[in-house]
Amino acid sequence: MSCEVSLPEAKKVAIFGGTHGNEMSGVTLVNLWLKNRAEIRRSGVEVQPFITNPRAVEKCTRYIDIDLNRAFTPENLSKREAEDHPYEIKRALEINRIFGPKGSSDAYDVIFDLHNTTSNMGCTLILESSQDHLNLQMVHYIKQAVAPMTCSVLVNEHPFLQYSTSRSVAKHPIGLEVGPQPQGVLRSNIFQSMRLILRHALDFIELFNGGMEFPPCTVDVYQVTERVDYPRDTNGNITAMVHPNLQDCDWEPLNPGDPMFLTFDGRTVEYKGGNTVYPTFINEAAYYEKQQAFVITKRGTLIARQIKVSKM
Amino acid sequence: MLIIFTVQHYDASVSLQELSMVTVADQEEERRSSHLIYKMEVVSLPAVSRVAICGGTHGNEMTGVFLVKELQKRKRKEEGAEAPDILPVISNPRAVQRCQRYIETDLNRCFTTATLSVPVSDGTPYEIQRAQELNVFLGPKGSVKSVDLVCDLHNTTANMGLCLISYSECDWISLHICRHLQKEMPSVPVRYIHYDVPLSEAYSLESVGKHGFAMEVGPQPHGVVRADVWGTMTEGVRLVLDWIKRFNSGVQFDDKVMEIYTLVKTIDYPRDPETQMITATIHPQLQDHDFCLLHQGDPLFLTFSGNTEYYRGEEPLYPFFVNESAYYEKGIAFLLARKKKVNIPSVRVMTRESV
């Protein structure tokens, strides 16, 4: 049995910025490339930069009515575009029409969705499947290319915690999350890191389309297992902050008994799970309203099969 | 008899000061001192009886919001006549509820005398109406009825440590409080920033009180509460109230020379002349370097095409509010200040005898 995966060319590639209108690195990069595409030009690939939520970008806010990056559900995508909907649902339908339809053979091959986080996650590539060998080879290539800068790989296949992202319209969706950066702020180091990752990502696609074979490899990943909320009172108000020992410690081990939260009146709340876990998205500003203080992951290793382009 | 004077650097704009001559007949003293001395008298000031602690003036600056909510759970007045009456205030409740800086307009620009007297109609922006409500509750600004001190809590995305920001450089209460925090919080940089603006044009909330300052703590992203910033701000507020209690109980705080920062100008990002979109980021050598002296030729911005823009001013100045997210829309990448020394006189609470 051949272990090689033969895949069609990744000809249609999109780069999404402004899915959250106040995450500035992606907004800035996409606007830059809409004006001048030289940096993103690669032979054999059409690269389309695109601002997904222009009204939110204009107001420098995360969203207008609802979170666009949760809007691409089957229910929403089956609605009729002409009817009156919240702004982001209308946008999701438009985006699905231009870059999808999601799940069809006409959909874009690859979409990179650019995000920032207030969490100390460094550079993180987010995958929605552990079986997407093109994506696994791509993240492996990127990690090697940017070393010694580290790039973590987060896989969210959790049945309840996975969400319907704007990039999920594509056959091969990839999220780029770079932090820490406050919302509404553009930091030079974060901006340059995101630009560098995309440069290598596009190089990979050009090489793949050109016929290069990528041998089997392993990718160390973090797999989402659980979401942890802040302690709250009966009115739903938070009663504690992320503990100083946990703050900024994304990807570091959290052991049973380690401090997790510090209440406003000075009490420590400890992690009571049975195993060592690896938290991330620690203290992301946008997640207070989504009942999430951080996300718990477990470490794993995925195997990427050999891939080669099959030109039809 | 010999009269010996030492001239210290002195700000002549202060009218509350009285100078007295120290008469010295000692020849030994004459030998040692060869210059002139003016010794300042102790300034007597009324007790600080009513203190407003305000949070959520910007609804997404979270530390102040949570700190005020905690204060609201406690008793209003601690035991003891010298403890002030504390008024915890959520300044912009609608913005706090939506976790936004403001609803229609920046509340912390609505406290000029002119804006406070604007007639209110249905079309008046929410924050202007709210500013007038706060002026009734805590003021009226400039009158004897206003609260004695306003401490308005803020966060910034800039790496500023703890700053007390005031429109006055001769509010001795605020300056002594700042000195107290500097002494008692040695692990945190504590600075006093002066915006040279006359009272009627002072646009921020703390100008409503007889004394006041904004307490700005950063860096912290908006919408986030960090435990380390919480620790700094709660300790800062505790020390403010601690100083006030001691002042009210009759402790004399001695004269000191203090360094403060006075705002000189603001600098905007380089922008595309057609679209007005920014074309550069704060340079990595300036990012997070608030209060590090900027010299001519130092890098300021890194353009998207990789060029560096440099500081061209001749006078070295101190940058602050470097890359504050709320200031992009105000056309400000950072502000520049000059450092100066201020002589703060001794202060003591006014008693019946001293009136």
Side-chain angles (χ1 to χ4, degrees):
Chain A
M1 185 179 90
S2 166
C3 289
E4 184 181 272
V5 178
S6 199
L7 294 164
E9 275 182 301
K11 207 130 174 75
K12 293 196 307 184
V13 173
I15 303 177
F16 284 178
T19 296
H20 296 133
N22 53 10
E23 294 176 14
M24 302 306 293
S25 307
V27 171
T28 307
L29 280 171
V30 165
N31 280 329
L32 204 66
W33 291 329
L34 283 169
K35 229 173 133 185
N36 182 348
R37 301 203 182 197
E39 204 176 318
I40 54 172
R41 207 165 279 132
R42 298 290 190 282
S43 67
V45 199
E46 296 162 27
V47 183
Q48 179 62 56
F50 188 78
I51 295 285
T52 41
N53 197 337
R55 276 186 64 192
V57 168
E58 210 210 340
K59 289 183 74 174
C60 196
T61 189
R62 183 176 174 86
Y63 55 81
I64 303 296
D65 295 323
I66 66 163
D67 191 333
L68 181 62
N69 215 29
R70 306 288 184 276
F72 288 76
T73 60
E75 187 199 339
N76 283 343
L77 295 182
S78 61
K79 291 182 165 130
R80 290 170 51 149
E81 219 175 314
E83 284 166 6
D84 194 29
H85 300 299
Y87 174 70
E88 276 84 9
I89 293 187
K90 283 206 283 244
R91 250 340 245 174
L93 290 165
E94 258 181 273
I95 289 164
N96 193 41
R97 180 170 40 78
I98 300 169
F99 297 97
K102 179 166 166 175
S104 79
S105 56
D106 290 333
Y108 263 58
D109 297 294
V110 181
I111 295 179
F112 299 101
D113 191 19
L114 308 183
H115 289 267
N116 292 118
T117 174
T118 58
S119 307
N120 188 27
M121 288 169 75
C123 297
T124 303
L125 296 163
I126 307 182
L127 302 181
E128 299 181 8
S129 162
S130 56
Q131 310 290 320
D132 185 331
H133 296 280
L134 180 76
N135 274 359
L136 285 170
Q137 287 282 359
M138 186 176 341
V139 304
H140 179 256
Y141 177 89
I142 292 169
K143 278 170 69 108
Q144 291 203 313
V146 302
M149 183 173 96
T150 44
C151 202
S152 308
V153 180
L154 180 68
V155 178
N156 190 357
E157 277 181 304
H158 193 288
F160 305 126
L161 299 179
Q162 196 178 56
Y163 43 84
S164 306
T165 57
S166 54
R167 59 190 179 266
S168 67
V169 159
K171 294 171 188 147
H172 305 282
I174 300 202
L176 255 82
E177 189 85 57
V178 187
Q181 181 170 272
Q183 295 165 352
V185 159
L186 188 67
R187 285 182 68 102
S188 178
N189 58 335
I190 304 287
F191 178 72
Q192 300 296 359
S193 296
M194 194 179 269
R195 204 171 184 177
L196 181 71
I197 290 175
L198 278 161
R199 186 188 323 151
H200 291 300
L202 294 176
D203 286 348
F204 169 85
I205 294 174
E206 187 180 45
L207 289 168
F208 170 74
N209 288 352
M212 180 177 278
E213 282 180 24
F214 291 86
C217 62
T218 57
V219 184
D220 292 329
V221 301
Y222 294 88
Q223 291 167 299
V224 173
T225 57
E226 204 184 324
R227 180 172 79 192
V228 178
D229 191 13
Y230 292 94
R232 290 176 190 267
D233 62 22
T234 46
N235 293 323
N237 302 309
I238 71 169
T239 55
M241 310 160 276
V242 170
H243 195 278
N245 287 20
L246 179 57
Q247 178 69 53
D248 301 334
C249 293
D250 297 72
W251 313 119
E252 291 176 35
L254 181 68
N255 304 302
D258 283 351
M260 197 168 52
F261 296 111
L262 182 66
T263 66
F264 292 121
D265 50 18
R267 221 177 9 97
T268 295
V269 178
E270 285 139 3
Y271 175 59
K272 301 222 184 346
N275 303 311
T276 294
V277 293
Y278 297 85
T280 193
F281 274 120
I282 298 173
N283 209 349
E284 159 53 50
Y287 289 172
Y288 282 60
E289 69 173 22
K290 297 196 198 303
Q291 284 87 49
Q292 185 173 305
F294 58 92
V295 136
I296 280 177
T297 73
K298 63 175 190 216
R299 275 169 41 172
T301 304
L302 298 179
I303 297 169
R305 296 214 224 136
Q306 175 150 322
I307 60 169
K308 193 178 171 190
V309 72
S310 72
K311 301 210 189 208
M312 310 255 272
Chain B
M1 189 172 68
L2 287 164
I3 300 172
I4 296 171
F5 304 90
T6 300
V7 174
Q8 293 177 327
H9 172 72
Y10 181 68
D11 184 346
S13 69
V14 174
S15 57
L16 283 175
Q17 294 300 300
E18 280 185 79
L19 305 174
S20 60
M21 293 188 295
V22 173
T23 306
V24 178
D26 191 274
Q27 286 193 340
E28 184 68 16
E29 198 64 43
E30 179 200 3
R31 209 168 40 77
R32 275 202 306 267
S33 317
S34 58
H35 44 277
L36 301 171
I37 302 169
Y38 287 104
K39 188 157 172 29
M40 295 184 190
E41 274 199 354
V42 178
V43 174
S44 278
L45 293 168
V48 179
S49 313
R50 291 168 68 222
V51 175
I53 310 280
C54 304
T57 299
H58 296 132
N60 54 5
E61 294 176 17
M62 304 306 291
T63 317
V65 171
F66 284 105
L67 201 154
V68 164
K69 287 186 176 177
E70 287 296 302
L71 282 176
Q72 285 173 334
K73 293 180 194 165
R74 291 195 222 155
K75 268 194 322 197
R76 190 158 142 157
K77 190 161 167 30
E78 288 176 28
E79 302 301 322
E82 65 279 354
D85 200 10
I86 298 171
L87 305 169
V89 179
I90 293 285
S91 318
N92 195 337
R94 277 184 63 191
V96 166
Q97 213 244 327
R98 290 172 69 171
C99 198
Q100 284 173 202
R101 183 177 175 84
Y102 55 81
I103 304 296
E104 293 177 74
T105 189
D106 191 333
L107 176 63
N108 215 29
R109 301 292 181 275
C110 291
F111 291 90
T112 61
T113 306
T115 309
L116 290 175
S117 359
V118 151
V120 163
S121 67
D122 282 343
T124 306
Y126 167 72
E127 276 85 6
I128 293 183
Q129 295 189 47
R130 183 63 184 149
Q132 296 190 2
E133 272 174 37
L134 288 166
N135 192 41
V136 167
F137 182 45
L138 301 177
K141 172 168 164 168
S143 80
V144 298
K145 292 199 203 136
S146 61
V147 294
D148 298 300
L149 190 136
V150 172
C151 174
D152 187 23
L153 306 175
H154 287 265
N155 292 118
T156 173
T157 58
N159 185 25
M160 286 170 67
L162 190 155
C163 289
L164 300 189
I165 306 179
S166 169
Y167 67 90
S168 170
E169 60 176 349
C170 53
D171 177 353
W172 309 129
I173 300 274
S174 297
L175 283 157
H176 269 285
I177 286 173
C178 185
R179 190 69 199 104
H180 184 61
L181 266 60
Q182 285 173 337
K183 218 175 107 198
E184 301 297 320
M185 296 176 76
S187 61
V188 175
V190 174
R191 299 178 178 94
Y192 192 97
I193 303 176
H194 168 229
Y195 288 13
D196 193 4
V197 174
L199 179 61
S200 62
E201 283 160 53
Y203 45 71
S204 43
L205 170 55
E206 78 280 353
S207 67
V208 169
K210 296 191 183 78
H211 307 277
F213 43 80
M215 180 183 289
E216 188 87 55
V217 184
Q220 179 170 271
H222 299 315
V224 158
V225 59
R226 286 182 63 103
D228 51 3
V229 169
W230 168 264
T232 298
M233 193 178 270
T234 49
E235 181 64 358
V237 169
R238 186 190 73 76
L239 288 168
V240 168
L241 298 173
D242 170 63
W243 187 92
I244 291 171
K245 256 195 275 189
R246 292 169 64 196
F247 173 77
N248 288 350
S249 71
V251 170
Q252 176 172 314
F253 292 89
D254 290 333
D255 59 287
K256 340 179 145 9
V257 178
M258 223 176 111
E259 281 184 336
I260 68 171
Y261 294 84
T262 300
L263 171 63
V264 171
K265 60 182 170 181
T266 67
I267 305 286
D268 193 6
Y269 290 94
R271 289 178 188 269
D272 181 290
E274 279 175 35
T275 62
Q276 286 305 300
M277 286 169 61
I278 67 170
T279 54
T281 59
I282 296 280
H283 195 278
Q285 286 180 40
L286 175 58
Q287 179 68 54
D288 301 331
H289 284 80
D290 299 70
F291 301 106
C292 294
L293 190 59
L294 204 56
H295 299 93
Q296 189 174 53
D298 284 347
L300 293 181
F301 300 109
L302 185 61
T303 70
F304 301 145
S305 50
N307 298 317
T308 298
E309 294 200 8
Y310 300 93
Y311 176 55
R312 305 232 179 271
E314 280 182 16
E315 182 189 1
L317 292 171
Y318 294 87
F320 65 103
F321 276 125
V322 176
N323 211 347
E324 161 53 52
S325 78
Y327 286 179
Y328 283 64
E329 69 175 19
K330 298 190 199 298
I332 297 172
F334 57 94
L335 286 73
L336 287 170
R338 197 175 278 134
K339 199 153 69 164
K340 69 186 265 196
K341 287 190 176 8
V342 175
N343 289 289
I344 311 167
S346 301
V347 296
R348 195 173 52 216
V349 72
M350 202 178 274
T351 57
R352 274 183 217 272
E353 293 76 38
S354 64
V355 167

